[in-house]
Amino acid sequence: MSDTTALDAAKIDIRRWTREEQSACAPYGPRVIYTPSVLAEAAELLGKLYTAGQEHHIDREDWAAVTSLPLGVLEALAARYCSRVELTGTERHAVRDTLVSELGAKGLTVQPGQRVAVEPLPDGPRFGHRGQAPVSLALTSDGWDIRVDEAASADGPRPIAAPATEDGAREVAELVHKILSGEAPNPFAAPAAKEATA
């Protein structure tokens, strides 16, 4: 398997694990939302692991028989991006200001604060008990998160695996715009039941 082939296989496997294997039980599990740069990083790392395995005559299918390398890679990156975030006050303000600016540039109604609230779009998915709640975002020591901004909401915060940087804020803003416009899956929707096979 060439490096290119390994990377292509890794991209396929990462995409499958973030879209189809949502019920996987893991420390961060299906609750994590991954930004494109983190998914690209995961595919690159997984491709390197596949290539290293090939050097020892271990094929991609051999790994699948004993463990899930794609899930392991995603979990390792989630652990890195969804914990131990250390920013100075100045850095945190710069990241939040970038987030607010990017959300506003996308035509979203934003209410800055400790958590940045973002109003739903008229034709987008609905959130909260009455379908009128905004979503809110924060960057804490546990990384980025998004939640329904409603006291009565049963939906807890969903971690977002993204860099705690201004570039990460841009990616989070793009992701939130896609969620609010319905281009990306609603992270608060109930999981779809899988059909039973005979």
Side-chain angles (χ1 to χ4, degrees), residues 137-155:
L137 303 156
L139 177 58
T140 69
S141 60
D142 290 329
W144 292 100
D145 74 54
I146 184 172
R147 72 175 188 205
V148 175
D149 199 31
E150 180 178 74
S153 175
D155 296 315

Side-chain angles (χ1 to χ4, degrees), residues 6-194:
L7 182 58
D8 291 340
K11 287 177 182 177
I12 290 167
D13 288 349
I14 292 296
R15 191 169 27 253
R16 190 190 71 165
W17 273 93
T18 54
R19 291 188 181 152
E20 297 171 16
E21 303 293 340
Q22 298 266 333
S23 62
C25 293
Y28 289 91
R31 297 183 50 80
V32 175
I33 304 166
Y34 296 89
T35 58
S37 69
V38 175
L39 290 175
E41 185 179 354
E44 181 181 345
L45 175 56
L46 183 58
K48 289 178 181 178
L49 292 172
Y50 284 160
T51 298
Q54 278 297 122
E55 293 172 11
H56 297 275
H57 308 290
I58 299 172
D59 292 327
R60 175 180 170 211
E61 296 78 19
D62 297 332
W63 288 114
V66 295
T67 190
S68 172
L69 281 183
L71 180 59
V73 166
L74 288 166
E75 287 294 314
L77 290 175
R80 183 171 91 204
Y81 287 111
C82 299
S83 66
R84 305 179 312 269
V85 172
E86 295 180 16
L87 297 173
T88 66
T90 302
E91 291 169 329
R92 191 174 301 279
H93 287 294
V95 171
R96 188 185 65 221
D97 290 348
T98 299
L99 175 69
V100 169
S101 174
E102 289 292 316
L103 290 166
K106 294 181 183 317
L108 298 172
T109 303
V110 181
Q111 299 168 1
Q114 194 143 0
R115 293 191 67 85
V116 176
V118 186
E119 294 295 326
L121 291 171
D123 297 331
R126 296 294 172 224
F127 306 99
H129 182 66
R130 287 185 254 162
Q132 299 172 341
V135 297
S136 68
L137 303 156
L139 177 58
T140 69
S141 60
D142 290 329
W144 292 100
D145 74 54
I146 184 172
R147 72 175 188 205
V148 175
D149 199 31
E150 180 178 74
S153 175
D155 296 315
R158 300 281 307 264
I160 300 173
T165 62
E166 291 179 53
D167 285 341
R170 289 179 189 92
E171 277 198 283
V172 169
E174 179 63 26
L175 177 66
V176 170
H177 181 260
K178 287 182 177 182
I179 289 169
L180 294 177
S181 67
E183 291 177 55
N186 178 347
F188 308 108
K194 292 187 177 183

